[in-house]
Amino acid sequence: MSENIFYKLRDDIENGIVTGAFEPGERLDETQLATRFGVSRTPIREALMQLSAIGLVEIRPRRGAIVVDPAPQRVYEMFEVMAELEGMAGALAARRHTEEDSAALLAAHEKCREAAVSEDTDRYYYENEIFHRAIYAASRSGFLEEQCTTLHRRLRPYRRLQLRVRNRMKVSFKEHGEIVEAVLSGDADRAREGLRSHVAVQGDRFGDLVANLSNRERRSGRLG
Amino acid sequence: MSENIFYKLRDDIENGIVTGAFEPGERLDETQLATRFGVSRTPIREALMQLSAIGLVEIRPRRGAIVVDPAPQRVYEMFEVMAELEGMAGALAARRHTEEDSAALLAAHEKCREAAVSEDTDRYYYENEIFHRAIYAASRSGFLEEQCTTLHRRLRPYRRLQLRVRNRMKVSFKEHGEIVEAVLSGDADRAREGLRSHVAVQGDRFGDLVANLSNRERRSGRLG
DNA sequence: ATCCGCCGTCTTGTATACAAAAATCTTGAC
DNA sequence: GTCAAGATTTTTGTATACAAGACGGCGGAT
């Protein structure tokens, strides 16, 4: 089981980034990481190279790697694309879902309900992820599923912040219900629209997002 | 100027892959590449790690890297997603394009016309790429532009094959005209639809694609 | 003759070494 | 006291070394 340390390292560091253990803008010292994980610098560098290729860290020549810190504008753009891709997944899912897809989607929806009624945001956050994954899978497009999963993962920290907003969880669950209905009844257009607006950062939510982002920046002591 | 060899190596190898110098399924020997580029294995490995992260090569533990060889199904799915993203870029471009965007788009369109009337598929292939980049830029979404550029690049070899199909170039140019008109007149829906159907692999084109893919496979001596 | 297993070779994965650039500290001048 | 230039330390980028797994060939058994 000692196969390919750099895979594990990549996942560990990526996880640290999307969960916030490594903060945006933080410098990732190779030697330090090497000691921490008990390996040499070589596999650490290989992991960082992979993360830089998917845009999670930035490698500045001769000056080391830092966790990327996207501007609010950029985060908004990422949600914009995510909304479109999820809408597409919903439309495809409505047309192509199998029996197992339906079962998985309903099961995930039920878990979300439990989390929502018990007002457990952490649990809802977790079950919500499974719900969305069920949609991607039901699209029956492996490539789309991959793209969605990757982007979903990268937006994790921001989504988590968003859920904390008052009432967002209940609204979210209600939207899920409409999405489930549209997908199961094979209504591609409604599924697309449902998911697009569910994911998009519109109206008040845009303000919430920007506010959260600047809070974070103030906390980590950059920005005036 | 001897800074960061692995960037150059990554671009060189990536280029070799999308232009077909390295064939799908081909094994990329680290030592061999190192000798060829006159460097040690270390930067070669770092370049391969990056390419594996974006899905261009596959690293099998202890068995080296190979150029990924997506199944026809997967290539179709990639075009499907590309169509959606380009449609989105078109819709955003229609709403957000600036004066410079219009100028760039018209200029690119004119170059495509020249290539089309002189029936120069190679040149059209090149100008077409610039045309599509102009759309991405006009969307005024840096993230979307990046996603589109990356995917466009990965689909390069297949697009090139497609252009060779009889009359495809002239049809393509005509579709460009409609897209330009929709974008410049600010008609987001028409721009989206125009680009979606322009990029999508539908009807006859699906058969052409599959035929081309299996030709390639037969040529490289795999498959029965 | 064919198939299985063993041994040697080759290749990968990780560690270490070393040079060069960047960051930091020190010292001296104003 | 502050700033700048040089020296020192740290850190990155690349090369090399070495161990362990994968591949291929050879020989023996059936």
Side-chain angles (χ1 to χ4, degrees):
Chain A
M1 262 303 157
S2 60
E3 289 254 285
N4 285 83
I5 290 180
F6 61 80
Y7 280 135
K8 201 180 116 41
L9 291 172
R10 164 166 61 68
D11 291 346
D12 280 3
I13 299 175
E14 178 178 348
N15 223 46
I17 291 173
V18 299
T19 61
F22 298 115
E23 290 191 13
E26 182 175 342
R27 181 146 158 283
L28 297 171
D29 186 285
E30 294 174 4
T31 316
Q32 205 171 302
L33 288 171
T35 336
R36 152 130 56 136
F37 288 107
V39 297
S40 80
R41 277 175 52 222
T42 307
I44 294 283
R45 278 182 66 86
E46 292 177 348
L48 290 177
M49 290 292 164
Q50 298 198 55
L51 294 177
S52 96
I54 59 178
L56 268 177
V57 311
E58 188 188 332
I59 296 182
R60 303 161 305 170
R62 288 254 171 226
R63 305 190 50 226
I66 58 171
V67 179
V68 291
D69 187 9
Q73 164 77 9
R74 168 60 62 123
V75 176
Y76 175 76
E77 289 169 4
M78 290 167 76
F79 271 106
E80 208 172 33
V81 170
M82 178 94 253
E84 200 77 13
L85 288 180
E86 294 236 6
M88 180 185 180
L92 292 182
R95 297 212 311 261
R96 303 179 181 167
H97 68 271
T98 66
E99 285 294 322
E100 303 91 68
D101 293 329
S102 309
L105 189 60
L106 283 171
H109 187 48
E110 207 42 53
K111 293 271 192 183
C112 282
R113 181 197 308 281
E114 289 169 22
V117 298
S118 59
E119 313 222 343
D120 184 342
T121 41
D122 280 340
R123 192 171 154 214
Y124 187 85
Y125 170 79
Y126 176 77
E127 303 295 355
N128 177 60
E129 204 153 314
I130 295 177
F131 177 84
H132 282 267
R133 290 241 174 85
I135 301 270
Y136 309 157
S139 78
R140 293 283 143 188
S141 167
F143 183 72
L144 178 60
E145 187 179 356
E146 263 177 32
Q147 295 289 110
C148 284
T149 307
T150 305
L151 193 44
H152 197 276
R153 197 171 164 69
R154 275 186 71 177
L155 288 171
R156 245 172 140 177
Y158 311 107
R159 198 186 327 270
R160 186 159 219 155
L161 292 173
Q162 297 255 59
L163 262 189
R164 294 270 141 81
V165 172
R166 224 176 92 69
N167 250 351
R168 177 66 199 141
M169 186 167 62
K170 291 196 170 156
V171 173
S172 167
F173 176 70
K174 195 160 162 248
E175 291 169 357
H176 280 197
E178 288 157 19
I179 290 162
V180 169
E181 206 186 297
V183 168
L184 295 189
S185 69
D187 188 337
D189 288 343
R190 208 147 59 87
R192 180 191 298 272
E193 267 322 300
L195 271 155
R196 182 140 59 182
S197 57
H198 176 61
V199 173
V201 177
Q202 298 165 328
D204 294 344
R205 294 179 62 200
F206 180 74
D208 298 338
L209 174 66
V210 173
N212 272 321
L213 286 173
S214 28
N215 276 342
R216 181 165 59 66
E217 295 202 12
R218 221 174 317 124
R219 228 189 309 120
S220 66
R222 284 162 295 111
L223 197 78
Chain B
M1 262 302 158
S2 61
E3 289 254 286
N4 285 84
I5 291 179
F6 60 81
Y7 281 134
K8 200 179 116 43
L9 290 172
R10 166 167 59 68
D11 292 345
D12 280 2
I13 299 174
E14 178 180 347
N15 223 47
I17 292 172
V18 298
T19 62
F22 298 115
E23 289 191 15
E26 182 175 343
R27 181 145 160 282
L28 298 170
D29 187 286
E30 296 174 3
T31 316
Q32 205 171 301
L33 287 171
T35 337
R36 153 134 51 140
F37 287 107
V39 297
S40 81
R41 277 175 53 221
T42 307
I44 294 282
R45 278 183 66 86
E46 292 177 350
L48 290 177
M49 291 290 164
Q50 298 198 56
L51 293 177
S52 96
I54 58 178
L56 268 177
V57 312
E58 187 188 332
I59 295 182
R60 305 160 304 169
R62 287 251 170 228
R63 306 188 48 225
I66 59 170
V67 179
V68 291
D69 187 9
Q73 165 78 10
R74 169 58 62 120
V75 175
Y76 175 76
E77 290 169 3
M78 290 166 77
F79 271 106
E80 208 172 33
V81 171
M82 178 95 253
E84 199 77 14
L85 288 179
E86 294 236 6
M88 180 185 180
L92 291 182
R95 298 213 310 261
R96 302 180 182 168
H97 68 273
T98 66
E99 285 294 323
E100 302 91 67
D101 293 330
S102 309
L105 190 60
L106 283 170
H109 187 47
E110 207 44 51
K111 293 271 191 184
C112 283
R113 180 196 310 281
E114 289 170 22
V117 299
S118 59
E119 312 222 345
D120 184 342
T121 42
D122 282 340
R123 189 167 158 217
Y124 188 84
Y125 170 79
Y126 176 77
E127 303 293 355
N128 177 59
E129 205 154 313
I130 295 178
F131 178 84
H132 282 267
R133 291 240 173 85
I135 302 269
Y136 309 157
S139 77
R140 294 282 144 190
S141 167
F143 182 72
L144 178 61
E145 187 178 355
E146 264 177 30
Q147 295 289 109
C148 284
T149 307
T150 305
L151 193 46
H152 198 276
R153 196 171 165 69
R154 276 185 71 177
L155 288 172
R156 245 173 141 177
Y158 311 106
R159 199 185 327 270
R160 186 159 219 156
L161 291 174
Q162 297 255 63
L163 262 188
R164 294 270 142 81
V165 172
R166 225 176 92 69
N167 250 351
R168 177 66 199 141
M169 185 167 62
K170 292 198 168 152
V171 173
S172 166
F173 176 70
K174 196 162 161 241
E175 291 169 354
H176 280 197
E178 289 156 19
I179 290 162
V180 169
E181 206 185 298
V183 168
L184 295 188
S185 69
D187 189 336
D189 288 343
R190 208 149 56 88
R192 180 191 298 272
E193 267 322 300
L195 271 155
R196 184 142 55 182
S197 57
H198 175 63
V199 172
V201 177
Q202 298 164 329
D204 293 344
R205 295 179 62 201
F206 179 73
D208 297 339
L209 174 66
V210 173
N212 272 322
L213 287 173
S214 27
N215 276 342
R216 180 164 60 67
E217 296 200 15
R218 220 171 321 122
R219 228 189 309 119
S220 65
R222 284 161 294 113
L223 197 78

